[in-house]
Amino acid sequence: MSPAETSTLFTDQLSSASNGISSTLPNYQKLIRLHRSLLSLLDCLIQLPNLISALKELSRHHHLSDTSLHQVLQNFSVIQLLLRNESDRIKAVIWELPERSTEMATLILKHLVAKSALQKLNFKHHLEFVRHSDLQTLSPKSWLNGEIINYFVEKWCAGSDTLGLGTYWANKFLFEDKNCTKPWSSFDNSSKIVNDLKRSIQKREQRLDTVRWSKIYIPINNAEEAHWYCAVINFEEHTIGILDSWGPTFRTNRDKPLRQKKHTALLAALMWVTERVAEYRGETVVLARNPHTDWSCDPHVEVPLQPNGYDCGVHMLWHLYHIVNFGHVQPLNSKIPKPHQFADNMVAKRLRLVQEILDDAGFRF
Amino acid sequence: MSEEDQHSTQPEIKDEDANAPINVKVVSSTGDEVFFKIKRSTKLSKLQGAYAAKVGKDVGSIRFLYDGSRISETDTPASLDMEDNDTIDVMVEQVGGCH
C-alpha cells in the first residue's frame, strides 16, 4: 500500500461514524492532533522553495551540474506537496465530522469549552481582550458576546479585501443612542463626526494586509433586543445591504412598502456613511435625493434565517465568512460543501470557532 | 476650569507642546459625564482605573472606546491622536442571540 492509501484508510476510519457517538470525541481529538503534527511538519519545510531557488542560482553561477543535494531537495518538495494535500483533506474531515449530528457537535463543543478552562492559554493572539469567559459564550445555545465577534472580524478580514469594523463602531456612527435602536436622522457634513468617521476608517485600514479594499462589514448589536445583525457596503458592486437572520422581522418586512420596513431609517444613515467613506476613498457617491444613482440599497437582504433564539451572533459571523470566502452570502440551496453552509442549529460552526480560537491560543488535548 | 482658561491665554503654553494636558470627557452608556485632565503621554489605562474607581465599578466589567474602537492597555492620547475636549465612550458588554 502506498503512503497515501494508508493515510486515507486511517482518516476514513477515524471519521467513520459507525462506531457510534461514544468514539466520536476520541476520533475528533486524534484528527486534531494529526492535523496539528502535519502543520508543524509543513512549518519545517517552509523555507524549501527559497533553498531550491538559491541552490539553482548557485549552480548556474558556477556552472555546476546537478548534485545529489538537488535530488534530495526535489524529493522534499514532493513530500511537501503530499503533506499539504493531506493536511487539507484532514481539515475537511474535521469540519465535516460535527456536521453529521448536532448531538455529536454539542458533545465535543462542551468538552472543549470545559477542558480549555483547565489550561493556561494565551488568548491574545488576534485581540488583547479575549478571555475564557468570552469563549464560553460560544457554548451550545449561548448568546455570543462582542469579544468573540471582534476576534473573528479582526482575524478573517486581515487577509481579505473586506474592511471589518468593531462591534462598537455602529453605536457611534450609525445610531443616536448607545443601545443602537435609533439611527441618526439628521446629517451634518461639516461636523466633527465626519472627521472622526474618516479617521476611524483610516485606523482600521492600517490593520489590513492590502491597501485596496472594496467592502465594509459593520456588525450591529441592538442592546434592547439583544440581537446581532450586520450591514455590508460594497464599493465595487455599488450595493448597501442590511443582513438580519431574525425570521419574524424578515417576514413582517417582506410585504411592507420601503418606508415602513424595519431598518429603512438605518439604511438612510448607511447611505450617508457610504457617501463620506467614498470621499475618503477619493470617489464621488451621491445617494441622498438621487433617484438616478446606480447604487442599490436593500434594508433586508434575503439571508438564511435562524429558526431558534440563540444563533443570531453565529449567523452574523457566518455572513462575514461567506463574504470573505465567496464574495456574497450564499443561499441555503447553493452547491457549496456542507461545512460552509448555514444550518438550523449552528452548533458545528460554534465548535469550529472554538477550535480556531483554541488553536491560536495554544490549547492541546 | 477657570484656571485652565487663564493658562490658555498665556502665549508660552502652546498646543504644540507634546506633553500639555488635554481635557477628556468620559461618557457612560446612560449619558453621565465625567471630566479628566490627562497628559498626552499618559497611558489611558490610568484614566480607566480612575474612572472605574469613581463610578464604583470593576474596570474589567466596562469597555472604553474611542472612535468606536476599544482602547488598548498601552494606548495614550498621543497614540490615538486625541484632541482637547475629545470624548471617550464607556460601554457594557454586548451580547445577542435574539429571544
Side-chain angles (χ1 to χ4, degrees), chain A residues 31-278:
Chain A
L31 281 165
I32 292 284
R33 278 196 212 107
L34 183 64
H35 187 239
R36 191 172 294 131
S37 22
L38 281 174
L39 287 184
S40 47
L41 266 175
L42 280 166
D43 265 351
C44 300
L45 294 173
I46 206 154
Q47 292 296 335
L48 195 62
N50 293 342
L51 204 59
I52 292 176
S53 69
L55 190 69
K56 270 192 185 143
E57 189 61 34
L58 201 69
S59 310
R60 197 163 41 233
H61 194 73
H62 294 284
H63 306 289
L64 300 174
S65 57
D66 275 8
T67 60
S68 50
L69 183 58
H70 283 91
Q71 201 52 52
V72 170
L73 290 181
Q74 290 306 335
N75 286 344
F76 268 126
S77 260
V78 175
I79 293 173
Q80 187 183 33
L81 187 70
L82 264 172
L83 288 176
R84 204 172 281 151
N85 290 342
E86 198 51 24
S87 158
D88 287 348
R89 211 174 63 85
I90 292 172
K91 193 161 153 193
V93 174
I94 291 171
W95 285 352
E96 201 268 330
L97 188 66
E99 297 284 347
R100 292 186 198 166
S101 102
T102 42
E103 288 79 33
M104 238 188 244
T106 305
L107 181 94
I108 302 172
L109 177 55
K110 280 185 174 163
H111 175 82
L112 263 183
V113 173
K115 195 93 192 275
S116 59
L118 308 172
Q119 286 189 20
K120 203 170 157 47
L121 298 169
N122 178 18
F123 287 109
K124 296 188 174 180
H125 208 270
H126 284 276
L127 207 65
E128 69 177 89
F129 308 108
V130 176
R131 293 181 178 80
H132 191 267
S133 56
D134 301 314
L135 193 75
Q136 281 173 330
T137 70
L138 278 165
S139 299
K141 299 188 181 180
S142 292
W143 289 5
L144 262 64
N145 80 358
E147 260 52 77
I148 294 299
I149 307 286
N150 286 325
Y151 187 87
F152 288 103
V153 171
E154 189 88 30
K155 183 176 176 183
W156 291 348
C157 287
S160 80
D161 74 334
T162 301
L163 187 87
L165 298 172
T167 51
Y168 289 101
W169 190 90
N171 301 54
K172 182 173 166 105
F173 295 109
L174 290 176
F175 293 89
E176 268 178 47
D177 62 324
K178 287 192 172 182
N179 283 344
C180 288
T181 60
K182 203 171 174 301
W184 289 110
S185 52
S186 65
F187 309 103
D188 181 358
N189 290 350
S190 59
S191 61
K192 182 180 182 309
I193 200 154
V194 176
N195 273 334
D196 291 352
L197 187 141
K198 291 178 183 173
R199 188 177 46 194
S200 73
I201 297 292
Q202 186 187 20
K203 278 186 191 161
R204 209 68 196 185
E205 195 178 58
Q206 288 160 359
R207 301 195 198 174
L208 293 186
D209 299 341
T210 135
V211 248
R212 210 55 204 155
W213 45 272
S214 62
K215 306 178 202 92
I216 296 188
Y217 170 86
I218 311 169
I220 302 168
N221 181 261
N222 180 321
E224 257 171 38
E225 295 173 357
H227 181 45
W228 290 109
Y229 62 105
C230 62
V232 179
I233 306 173
N234 190 325
F235 286 90
E236 219 162 66
E237 297 177 359
H238 294 185
T239 56
I240 305 174
I242 296 167
L243 285 58
D244 190 335
S245 61
W246 188 233
T249 312
F250 180 76
R251 281 187 287 273
T252 52
N253 258 344
R254 197 166 31 194
D255 306 321
K256 281 187 185 166
L258 181 64
R259 285 192 179 281
Q260 288 166 28
K261 282 187 204 276
K262 192 174 182 176
H263 300 326
T264 297
L266 172 60
L267 192 61
L270 281 163
M271 286 159 80
W272 181 79
V273 163
T274 304
E275 290 179 353
R276 302 293 81 74
V277 176

Side-chain angles (χ1 to χ4, degrees), chain A residues 128 145 147 167 199 309, chain B residues 63 66 70 72 93-94 98:
Chain A
E128 69 177 89
N145 80 358
E147 260 52 77
T167 51
R199 188 177 46 194
Chain B
R63 282 113 172 97
Y66 180 64
R70 282 286 287 274
S72 302
E93 181 187 21
Q94 296 171 307
C98 224

